[in-house]
Amino acid sequence: MSLFIVNILDGLVTGLLLFMLCSGLTLIFSMMGVLNFAHASFYMLGAYFAYQISLYTGFWMGLLIAPIVVGVIGALIERYGLRRVHKYGHVPELIFTFGLALLIEEVVQFFWGKSQMAYNPPEALDFAAFAIAGNTFPAYKVFMIFVAIGIFLVLLYILTKTRVGMTIQAALSYPETVQNLGHNVPLVFMGVFGVGTAMAGLAGVIAGPTLGTFPGMAFQLGSIVFVTIVIGGLGSLWGALVASLIIGWIQTFAATYNVRMEDILVAVGFDKPEPVWDSAWADLWTLTLPQIGPILPYLLMVIVLVVRPQGLFGKRES
């Protein structure tokens, strides 16, 4: 039972970290209709900027400044790059953001090299918050949980309860009407893109000390981010949260419990071939759950797309 509780907590941390990254991407897509392929690269930039700032001023100033710097860079990219290709449709946007992702990775390797940075949690959070049956739970993970929950509540409040949120949502559906009411729609879109990339940068600042700060960190999470928002439903904040938690728990439990495919197949009525190594299905019979754990989110995405193409919380376009 104690192992189950520990896995629940670890999966919660993994899921909420994934949500911090996905929330910015789903915000950009829901407000602007832009599928930003370079979103994970802004997450990587946040980690590197925070690491560099922390060398001079400590972790907390890096946490404060790095997301702002990433957000400003994102806003400038929207203003002087993405806006010019946005009017040509989604394919040029994807090509632009794909090229941007490669460019950011090359820039990171040019300035910081290919080695992992020594970016660690702050000393103030470098202790065990509590223990369950001998398994300690770091205070830094508790901090990650509260930051992710805070981001979700703030975003939900701004988008649904404030005038700014209403204006942003109206600008997506009725840009000309909002423009005629005196609002600067291009400025709204630039702000949304900047905030979305800043949130990716914040996720990088938080994740860097635990998952590692290295040039491949964007590639490591890039594909799973898109899987998450597809499962949750493109543009749905609630969907991003639920899908992130599901994937976090799937990956955590799959890595912990050594369930064998042989046991599952026998339980459902298949006869085990003897010897199994001479069977044409030997690879299938010898599989274990930790081996297939990394592909389970992709399998879930395929199932969701077949059963509910718009995602768990998405709305089908008319």
Side-chain angles (χ1 to χ4, degrees):
M1 186 62 185
S2 59
L3 179 60
F4 179 80
I5 296 174
V6 170
N7 284 330
I8 287 289
L9 292 174
D10 284 340
L12 179 66
V13 172
T14 303
L16 289 178
L17 176 62
L18 193 55
F19 168 73
M20 281 194 286
L21 185 53
C22 293
S23 58
L25 182 59
T26 201
L27 176 69
I28 291 172
F29 185 83
S30 63
M31 298 294 112
M32 303 174 61
V34 174
L35 198 54
N36 181 16
F37 200 85
H39 193 72
S41 299
F42 290 104
Y43 153 83
M44 178 172 63
L45 276 183
Y48 272 94
F49 286 161
Y51 160 72
Q52 197 65 43
I53 295 170
S54 68
L55 293 179
Y56 303 98
T57 60
F59 174 84
W60 300 107
M61 288 304 294
L63 176 66
L64 180 66
I65 297 174
I68 297 175
V69 175
V70 174
V72 170
I73 293 174
L76 292 175
I77 288 174
E78 193 281 334
R79 172 63 181 85
Y80 296 103
L82 190 59
R83 188 179 301 180
R84 297 177 184 272
V85 299
H86 182 62
K87 57 186 176 184
Y88 297 111
H90 293 305
V91 174
E93 284 174 355
L94 283 176
I95 295 173
F96 176 83
T97 56
F98 180 73
L100 182 62
L102 297 178
L103 176 63
I104 291 175
E105 184 173 344
E106 291 298 324
V107 169
V108 165
Q109 292 188 26
F110 177 80
F111 284 103
W112 286 282
K114 297 183 178 181
S115 301
Q116 181 167 325
M117 299 294 104
Y119 182 36
N120 301 311
E123 293 183 1
L125 296 176
D126 192 14
F127 63 94
F130 55 87
I132 301 175
N135 298 297
T136 58
F137 196 78
Y140 190 74
K141 289 189 176 181
V142 177
F143 169 72
M144 292 169 66
I145 291 174
F146 279 105
V147 170
I149 294 175
I151 288 175
F152 174 72
L153 294 178
V154 168
L155 271 181
L156 194 63
Y157 179 78
I158 290 177
L159 293 178
T160 59
K161 301 294 183 182
T162 67
R163 185 180 179 85
V164 174
M166 301 295 181
T167 303
I168 290 172
Q169 296 190 63
L172 174 64
S173 303
Y174 310 102
E176 293 182 358
T177 302
V178 173
Q179 184 88 38
N180 292 333
L181 290 174
H183 297 287
N184 189 336
V185 173
L187 182 63
V188 170
F189 283 173
M190 186 176 74
V192 169
F193 196 86
V195 170
T197 53
M199 293 172 64
L202 176 60
V205 177
I206 300 294
T210 56
L211 299 184
T213 303
F214 56 99
M217 62 186 298
F219 178 78
Q220 185 183 51
L221 283 182
S223 58
I224 202 69
V225 169
F226 283 95
V227 169
T228 304
I229 65 169
V230 168
I231 292 174
L234 289 171
S236 170
L237 191 61
W238 277 103
L241 176 64
V242 173
S244 298
L245 292 176
I246 291 174
I247 290 177
W249 280 318
I250 285 178
Q251 291 189 323
T252 302
F253 278 95
T256 305
Y257 290 93
N258 189 28
V259 179
R260 300 182 302 173
M261 184 63 73
E262 172 186 333
D263 299 331
I264 297 175
L265 293 175
V266 171
V268 298
F270 288 93
D271 294 326
K272 180 182 176 181
E274 293 293 349
V276 69
W277 303 111
D278 290 338
S279 170
W281 300 95
D283 292 338
L284 176 65
W285 279 89
T286 55
L287 277 177
T288 62
L289 188 57
Q291 287 179 310
I292 63 174
I295 67 171
L296 289 180
Y298 301 94
L299 180 61
L300 177 62
M301 181 186 70
V302 172
I303 295 173
V304 169
L305 286 176
V306 170
V307 177
R308 188 177 168 82
Q310 67 271 37
L312 297 177
F313 289 78
K315 297 178 181 178
R316 185 186 296 275
E317 295 183 1
S318 60

